[in-house]
Amino acid sequence: MNEEIRQPVAPSGLALRPVLLSGRLAAGTLSLAGLAWVVRAVWEVRLSAAGEPASGPPDQGDGVHRPLTALEDSYHRVSSIGGVVALVCAMFFLAWLSRVRDNARALTGQRPKYAGIWVLLGWIVPVVNLWFPRGIVADAFRTTAPGRKLPVCVNVWWGLWLVGMLSGVGLIRSDSADDVIARAYGEVWPLLVSDTAVVGAAVAGVLVVRAVTGAQLERIRQGAAPAVVRVGPGGEE
C-alpha cells in the first residue's frame, strides 16, 4: 500500500528543508555554550583569588610544566568540557545556518550572496571570518523577509562574537588552558571581559536563531505549497 507524504515545496520549485527542530537544537546548544563560559569565568575568579603558587605558572617555559594544583586541574576539566560543548554547538549552528540559507533561495529563487562553502570556511579563513558569517545570516533573513529591518540582535551577536574571538579565549581560542591560568593569576579582568562577551554572544545568538527561523516559518506558511510524494514498498515514486 502506498503512503502519501506531504513535503513543502517553495514557489521556486525547490524543496524546503525543515528548520524548526534545527533552530531549537542550535538555540539550545548556544545556551549550553553560554552556561559553559559562565562556569569558566567562575573558575578564573577562583584562580585569581587563590593566587599563583610560589612555583610559578604551570608552563615554566622551554617545554617544562610543573604538576598542576587541584584547582588548576579542575580548570583543565572545565575547559575541556566547555570545548566539547562549543564543538557540539558549532555543529548544530552550522547545520541550521545551511538550512536557512538554502530555504531563503528556495522561497525566493534568488541566488545567495555567499556560496555554500562559506557556511563552514567563513568561520576559519582569516580576514573573511570577520564578516562572512554575519553576512550569511543577514542575507538569509533579508532574502526571506524583504523590506523588514535586520534584527538588532544580529549585530549585537556578531559584535560580541568578535570581541570573544579576538581576545584569544572565545569559542575559537588560541590560548591553551595553562596560558589562561597564567593570565588569571596575573590580571583576571581581561578574561572576564572576554567571557562576558562570549556569554552575551551566545544569548544574542539564541535570539538570532529564533528571529531568522521565525521569519522563514512565516514565509513558508504564506508561500509554500505541499507536494505529494508517494512512497511505496520500493521507495518514492
Side-chain angles (χ1 to χ4, degrees):
M1 180 177 180
N2 290 345
E3 179 185 358
E4 292 187 350
I5 300 177
R6 290 190 170 272
Q7 295 180 337
V9 175
S12 65
L14 299 174
L16 292 165
R17 304 176 66 186
V19 291
L20 181 58
L21 178 58
S22 180
R24 287 175 175 172
L25 290 172
T29 51
L30 277 166
S31 299
L32 288 177
L35 178 59
W37 253 252
V38 169
V39 175
R40 278 172 56 105
V42 170
W43 251 253
E44 287 158 6
V45 170
R46 291 181 63 193
L47 287 165
S48 178
E52 186 175 83
S55 53
D59 186 349
Q60 304 278 292
D62 298 324
V64 177
H65 290 74
R66 64 164 172 76
L68 297 174
T69 66
L71 182 57
E72 292 168 348
D73 188 54
S74 65
Y75 181 80
H76 270 262
R77 291 195 295 272
V78 166
S79 180
S80 296
I81 293 172
V84 172
V85 172
L87 178 61
V88 174
C89 173
M91 292 170 58
F92 281 118
F93 187 85
L94 291 176
W96 168 82
L97 186 57
S98 176
R99 286 171 180 262
V100 295
R101 175 191 173 277
D102 291 348
N103 279 355
R105 180 178 185 179
L107 286 164
T108 64
Q110 297 181 29
R111 192 175 188 86
K113 187 176 180 180
Y114 300 88
I117 193 172
W118 292 115
V119 171
L120 173 60
L121 294 186
W123 298 86
I124 56 181
V125 175
V127 183
V128 301
N129 64 352
L130 298 178
W131 77 89
F132 270 33
R134 177 201 172 277
I136 295 171
V137 172
D139 185 53
F141 181 85
R142 287 171 173 152
T143 303
T144 300
R148 287 177 57 179
K149 186 176 180 181
L150 185 70
V152 174
C153 58
V154 173
N155 290 328
V156 173
W157 158 68
W158 190 244
L160 291 173
W161 167 266
L162 290 179
V163 171
M165 180 181 72
L166 296 175
S167 68
V169 292
L171 290 176
I172 300 177
R173 59 192 178 93
S174 57
D175 287 0
S176 68
D178 284 346
D179 291 333
V180 177
I181 289 171
R183 291 173 63 180
Y185 285 143
E187 202 169 24
V188 74
W189 71 264
L191 294 176
L192 298 181
V193 169
S194 177
D195 292 335
T196 300
V198 172
V199 174
V203 173
V206 171
L207 299 179
V208 168
V209 170
R210 289 180 175 176
V212 179
T213 302
Q216 288 209 339
L217 291 174
E218 180 181 350
R219 182 67 181 270
I220 290 170
R221 285 193 293 267
Q222 292 173 351
V228 177
V229 178
R230 297 183 185 278
V231 181
E236 292 187 6
E237 296 181 3

